[in-house]
Amino acid sequence: MIEKKQVEIEDVVLIGIVTKQQNEEKAIEYLDELEFLTYTAGGAVTKRFIQKLEYPDPRTFIGSGKLDEVKSYIEEHKIGTAIFDDELSPAQLRNIEKVLNIKVLDRTNLILDIFAQRAQTSYARTQVELAQCQYLLPRLTRLWTHLERQKGGIGLRGPGETEIETDRRIIRDKIALLKDKLKTIDKQMAVQRKNRGKMVRVALVGYTNVGKSTLMNVISKSDVFAENKLFATLDTTVRKVVIKNIPFLLTDTVGFIRKLPTQLIESFKSTLDEVREADLLLHVVDISHKNFEDHIDSVNLILAEIKSADKPVLMVFNKIDAYEEEVIEEDDLITQRDKSHYTLQDWEKTWMRKMNGKCIFISALNQSNLDRFKDMVYEEVKKIHMTRFPYNDYLYEEYTEEI
Ligand SMILES: Nc1nc2c(ncn2[C@@H]2O[C@H](COP(=O)(O)OP(=O)(O)OP(=O)(O)O)[C@@H](O)[C@H]2O)c(=O)[nH]1
Ligand SMILES: [Mg+2]
């Protein structure tokens, strides 16, 4: 079982690259996100290193000169952790550790660590533990586990802490055991889902931190943990919601992120089954985030990966209260107008217009436009409900209660 530990804030450096596929602006955006992830995991970023490269170096990810630069910085400032914004191969990880002689993590490792920290139920913890073991298996010979200086902290929570020095066989046995355990739970969950009968099922999906749980709370009057950190929700909550006269089930589940580790997608099978078996998806987007279009793409990629890309979807653009477009001053003749200058009205005229009204702008926090949102959900749910209960049409009679 994963151990829970209160850890002190650790000083961390971040390392990213600019390549042909990833321009400087993108690299900076990704590092911003990596910094938020680091903060969620309990780290404070003291410096970022970015290098321009044709391709990542197969031996050390960044060039050896750059690595030396990182080395002198971490030695001077006594930094204990370096985090790379990509998945490092086991060989890269080993080589980098040899040079830097501190704890080296990659994006995958960091996300797994946050999941380990946040998993509440034994079910979620088993899923995370499995993903961690699978990540760990090819990377067992890690230098930093032998170092005295770093005990606990980011990247060391979970099985990594205790099992790392044991051999691969033990990890393999453990993987088999965890898989068995999950299979049993998966079966129970599948039965539970079956018992819910033919009721229409709606799932909230979206990038992490967009406001899914907040929206769930305001429309179902439930109390799901919401917080301004990444991956506040790992477990699935299902609530019965009634709009007008149709009841349906609403699911809030784990948020997605760019490059969600595949180990996690596999181990969170049952959690994601809630999405896979949903009749309607509410794709929640944080429109106040500069990269919201990228976020939509990442979510759609993961939906495709779990074979849920062809479900009916309502796009829910949340956080309109926090949306701010950049303004070009009248005497500024140089700045080119781009998407950052769009108002919400401008956005409505873009590709969103082609969605045939399947999108809506709301603020879950200020509860604005929620009535319209509920109407739209009602219309969609009603369509599905009617195919499932064709003779049950008395449900749709609008009636006012006599006093
Ligand atoms: N300004 C603003 N903030 C919001 C709105 N909706 C949610 N938030 C804030 O956004 C943060 C994340 O909200 P959550 O509901 O936890 O987001 P989530 O999508 O469930 O996140 P994960 O569970 O981490 O995937 C919280 O600090 C919320 O208070 C909104 O309409 N406007
Ligand atoms: Mg949530």
Side-chain angles (χ1 to χ4, degrees):
M1 195 46 55
I2 293 165
E3 274 177 50
K4 285 230 147 189
K5 259 196 186 160
Q6 215 49 45
V7 277
E8 286 167 28
I9 300 285
E10 295 174 43
D11 282 338
V12 172
V13 293
L14 302 184
I15 297 148
I17 51 172
V18 175
T19 59
K20 268 190 195 150
Q21 291 84 31
Q22 179 170 306
N23 63 25
E24 187 160 357
E25 199 190 339
K26 277 272 166 299
I28 290 172
E29 284 168 14
Y30 293 160
L31 283 182
D32 285 344
E33 185 174 85
L34 194 69
E35 182 160 347
F36 199 7
L37 282 165
T38 305
Y39 158 75
T40 302
V45 174
T46 59
K47 194 172 168 65
R48 298 168 168 202
F49 292 90
I50 299 184
Q51 188 177 33
K52 273 202 182 104
L53 286 171
E54 284 270 315
Y55 303 101
D57 189 310
R59 285 196 64 254
T60 47
F61 191 72
I62 49 172
S64 56
K66 195 72 182 179
L67 203 57
D68 285 338
E69 196 187 308
V70 177
K71 187 179 169 69
S72 35
Y73 179 86
I74 56 174
E75 280 176 355
E76 190 185 327
H77 296 86
K78 302 204 169 28
I79 307 290
T81 311
I83 305 180
F84 285 72
D85 184 40
D86 243 308
E87 186 162 325
L88 298 171
S89 72
Q92 282 173 331
L93 196 61
R94 265 197 305 279
N95 294 332
I96 296 167
E97 278 173 344
K98 258 185 223 149
V99 177
L100 296 185
N101 211 25
I102 56 166
K103 190 165 70 177
V104 176
L105 305 177
D106 61 13
R107 194 183 158 82
T108 305
N109 202 204
L110 182 61
I111 294 175
L112 288 173
D113 189 74
I114 295 171
F115 270 64
Q117 227 180 325
R118 302 227 145 198
Q120 293 291 331
T121 60
S122 115
Y123 180 53
R125 288 156 81 93
T126 312
Q127 294 183 107
V128 177
E129 207 172 351
L130 175 62
Q132 281 187 313
C133 284
Q134 277 165 338
Y135 173 83
L136 206 67
L137 191 59
R139 298 173 173 81
L140 268 179
T141 50
R142 300 189 72 162
L143 188 69
W144 44 264
T145 53
H146 309 290
L147 295 181
E148 265 299 284
R149 195 144 57 96
Q150 295 92 29
K151 282 249 165 82
I154 307 173
L156 289 172
R157 284 173 281 246
E161 212 160 8
T162 48
E163 237 79 90
I164 202 152
E165 277 147 356
T166 57
D167 61 9
R168 284 166 190 239
R169 188 179 48 78
I170 294 181
I171 295 278
R172 283 211 188 90
D173 288 350
K174 184 145 198 189
I175 289 179
L177 205 82
L178 289 167
K179 278 189 172 161
D180 270 356
K181 197 168 158 189
L182 279 180
K183 223 182 249 165
T184 318
I185 309 179
D186 281 349
K187 268 191 205 141
Q188 291 165 359
M189 305 274 264
V191 171
Q192 260 178 33
R193 285 197 300 269
K194 269 224 177 80
N195 287 344
R196 293 188 205 141
K198 290 201 286 181
M199 222 192 265
V200 175
R201 280 152 62 176
V202 181
L204 290 158
V205 294
Y207 213 73
T208 176
N209 208 43
V210 295
K212 297 179 295 298
S213 301
T214 309
L215 185 58
M216 171 90 168
N217 290 341
V218 294
I219 55 176
S220 73
K221 301 194 178 61
S222 58
D223 202 7
V224 180
F225 181 61
E227 188 189 19
N228 191 21
K229 279 194 175 176
L230 303 177
F231 303 113
T233 312
L234 282 194
D235 290 298
T236 303
T237 312
V238 184
R239 289 273 176 281
K240 186 173 156 190
V241 178
V242 184
I243 299 185
K244 296 180 191 169
N245 43 14
I246 304 185
F248 60 92
L249 294 174
L250 183 65
T251 302
D252 175 31
T253 187
V254 56
F256 300 162
I257 195 163
R258 186 178 74 92
K259 293 191 180 163
L260 190 66
T262 40
Q263 296 95 336
L264 272 174
I265 299 184
E266 278 165 34
S267 358
F268 274 70
K269 184 188 161 302
S270 227
T271 304
L272 294 170
D273 275 346
E274 290 285 352
V275 175
R276 215 167 302 156
E277 294 177 12
D279 303 296
L280 169 69
L281 302 181
L282 304 180
H283 183 162
V284 185
V285 178
D286 173 359
I287 195 156
S288 74
H289 197 293
K290 217 167 70 215
N291 306 333
F292 79 88
E293 285 181 295
D294 282 351
H295 293 177
I296 295 174
D297 291 342
S298 303
V299 170
N300 285 338
L301 263 178
I302 295 169
L303 286 177
E305 215 168 311
I306 62 170
K307 306 207 166 27
S308 300
D310 50 1
K311 289 183 187 297
V313 181
L314 270 185
M315 295 293 283
V316 183
F317 295 100
N318 188 31
K319 305 201 190 180
I320 52 168
D321 60 286
Y323 184 82
E324 256 173 57
E325 68 276 1
E326 282 170 34
V327 180
I328 305 175
E329 298 296 331
E330 251 170 52
D331 55 355
D332 178 353
L333 303 173
I334 299 158
T335 309
Q336 295 277 332
R337 191 169 186 273
D338 62 25
K339 285 177 177 174
S340 65
H341 305 102
Y342 285 11
T343 61
L344 286 177
Q345 288 74 25
D346 291 333
W347 273 114
E348 280 180 63
K349 291 177 204 135
T350 60
W351 52 267
M352 292 179 194
R353 174 178 268 176
K354 296 195 193 99
M355 296 208 50
N356 295 325
K358 304 273 178 184
C359 59
I360 182 155
F361 289 49
I362 64 161
S363 163
L365 196 70
N366 295 353
Q367 312 211 353
S368 36
N369 218 12
L370 282 190
D371 285 338
R372 174 89 193 93
F373 166 73
K374 284 185 193 163
D375 283 346
M376 281 177 77
V377 175
Y378 175 80
E379 286 307 322
E380 292 302 313
V381 170
K382 183 170 150 182
K383 274 185 222 157
I384 304 160
H385 192 95
M386 273 163 56
T387 60
R388 212 159 287 177
F389 304 92
Y391 306 110
N392 200 1
D393 48 28
Y394 65 87
L395 261 181
Y396 308 117
E397 283 168 22
E398 292 288 339
Y399 64 91
T400 41
E401 240 159 65
E402 302 279 335
I403 302 167

